[in-house]
């Protein structure tokens, strides 16, 4: 019995050549931005070229603003954008341009409530360290009031950071108390601890205010009564100077 003849191999599929008039597909925005992020981090940490690191972050953010490809995983470009802002914040701080940080990040997020929690945290820590917590007051307030942010896992930590680094140093104790009482992010124990910290700050504020008033009162009372003594002291110095310069007190010059 003759075996069947082997079936002929299927002909190779013809490859459709790319016409010269067809543009090559652009590299995914995600890959380009991620590569720039790596380059910016290298410039910041290894080469310590802070200006170049900042410019690289800005190039990457502009690339992301052009749009992400449809096949990119959801949220991937947001993570890259957040990391770029973290590197940019560090670069600005290293160049002593920390005052530009808030306006720099807001140009990429447009509204304070859209800032990622990590970026907002770094901004609060930076401005607090530089003794300028007031710059963050309205920004954090808007972020905390946004309903979309109140369900984030970082929400409670940012409320606590806002209390410790912004509201309490600025003496905004009523606002701090209202925030703690109304926030659903705290457990009963955490709320009690926060209210205790606010109460301690209020007592300290009253003590400092009372001490300042007493010092001012003492200065006002002491100033008029001290004038006769100062006049008398000046008169004594004047008499001493006259006595020293008197001819009777001058020693004869020996030839």
């Amino acid at each position: 019995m003759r075996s069947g003849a082997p079936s002929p191999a299927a002909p190779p599929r013809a490859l459709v050549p790319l016409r010269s008039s067809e543009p090559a597909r652009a590299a995914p925005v995600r890959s380009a931005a991620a590569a720039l992020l790596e380059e910016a981090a290298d410039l910041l940490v290894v080469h310590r070229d802070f200006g170049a690191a900042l410019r690289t972050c800005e190039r990457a953010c502009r690339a992301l603003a052009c749009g992400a490809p449809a096949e990119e995983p959801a949220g991937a470009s947001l993570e890259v954008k957040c990391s770029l802002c973290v590197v940019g914040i560090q670069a600005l701080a290293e160049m002593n341009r920390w005052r530009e940080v808030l306006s720099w990040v807001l140009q990429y997020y447009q509204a304070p409530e859209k800032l990622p929690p990590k970026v907002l945290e770094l901004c609060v820590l930076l401005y607090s360290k530089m003794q300028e917590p007031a710059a963050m007051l309205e920004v954090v307030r808007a972020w905390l009031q946004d309903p979309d942010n109140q369900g984030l896992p970082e929400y409670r930590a940012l409320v606590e950071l806002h209390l410790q680094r912004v509201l309490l140093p600025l003496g905004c104790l009523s606002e701090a108390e209202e925030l703690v009482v109304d926030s659903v992010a705290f457990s009963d124990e955490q709320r009690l601890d926060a209210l205790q910290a606010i109460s301690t700050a209020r007592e300290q504020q009253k003590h400092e205010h009372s001490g300042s008033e007493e010092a001012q009162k003492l200065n006002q009372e002491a100033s008029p009564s001290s004038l006769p003594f100062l006049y008398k002291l000046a008169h004594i110095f004047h008499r001493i100077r006259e006595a020293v310069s008197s001819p009777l007190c001058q020693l004869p010059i020996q030839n």
Side-chain angles (χ1 to χ4, degrees):
M1 182 175 178
R2 296 176 59 186
S3 60
S7 57
R13 297 177 60 185
L15 298 177
V16 180
L18 182 66
R19 299 175 184 175
S20 59
S21 59
E22 294 179 355
R25 292 183 61 186
V29 176
R30 167 67 173 87
S31 299
L36 288 172
L37 171 61
E38 184 177 352
E39 179 183 344
D42 188 65
L43 288 167
L44 176 73
V45 178
V46 179
H47 301 285
R48 299 188 64 80
D49 190 342
F50 308 125
L54 181 65
R55 291 189 295 271
T56 304
C57 290
E58 292 171 342
R59 284 169 50 206
C61 287
R62 287 194 297 268
L64 287 172
C66 294
E71 64 272 14
E72 179 179 302
S77 61
L78 296 179
E79 294 178 4
V80 173
K81 184 177 179 180
C82 176
S83 299
L84 287 167
C85 286
V86 169
V87 175
I89 290 171
Q90 182 67 26
L92 285 168
E94 293 285 358
M95 293 187 291
N96 199 26
R97 293 169 55 186
W98 57 270
R99 289 183 177 86
E100 304 174 33
V101 163
L102 190 56
S103 60
W104 186 81
V105 296
L106 285 176
Q107 70 178 319
Y108 299 115
Y109 288 97
Q110 286 75 50
E113 57 269 22
K114 301 301 181 183
L115 290 173
K118 184 63 177 178
V119 171
L120 183 64
E121 177 189 4
L122 287 178
C123 289
V124 171
L125 292 173
L126 175 62
Y127 281 89
S128 172
K129 181 179 180 180
M130 303 309 295
Q131 305 297 318
E132 292 288 346
M136 296 301 302
L137 183 60
E138 294 295 334
V139 174
V140 186
R141 183 184 293 161
W143 194 94
L144 293 176
Q145 291 174 351
D146 188 88
D148 292 337
N149 295 329
Q150 294 176 2
L152 296 176
E154 301 91 347
Y155 184 79
R156 183 178 63 82
L158 283 168
V159 171
E160 293 179 343
L161 188 68
H162 185 48
L163 287 172
Q164 297 170 2
R165 298 301 185 100
V166 180
L167 294 181
L168 295 186
L170 292 176
C172 303
L173 304 184
S174 297
E175 181 177 347
E177 203 167 45
E178 182 180 352
L179 178 62
V180 172
V181 171
D182 295 341
S183 177
V184 296
F186 290 102
S187 65
D188 291 341
E189 183 178 356
Q190 291 166 343
R191 183 176 288 106
L192 186 62
D193 291 341
L195 290 174
Q196 181 61 44
I198 295 171
S199 177
T200 302
R202 180 174 280 113
E203 291 299 323
Q204 183 178 358
Q205 188 181 69
K206 289 180 180 179
H207 179 72
E208 292 175 353
H209 182 69
S210 176
S212 176
E213 287 184 343
E214 290 180 2
Q216 185 177 4
K217 184 178 180 181
L218 288 173
N219 289 336
Q220 290 174 353
E221 292 176 351
S223 296
S225 61
S226 63
L227 289 177
F229 172 76
L230 294 176
Y231 290 146
K232 184 181 295 185
L233 188 62
H235 182 66
I236 292 173
F237 285 152
H238 181 68
R239 293 288 299 273
I240 293 174
R241 180 179 297 176
E242 287 181 344
V244 171
S245 60
S246 172
L248 296 177
C249 296
Q250 294 179 358
L251 295 175
I253 300 176
Q254 300 292 337
N255 292 329

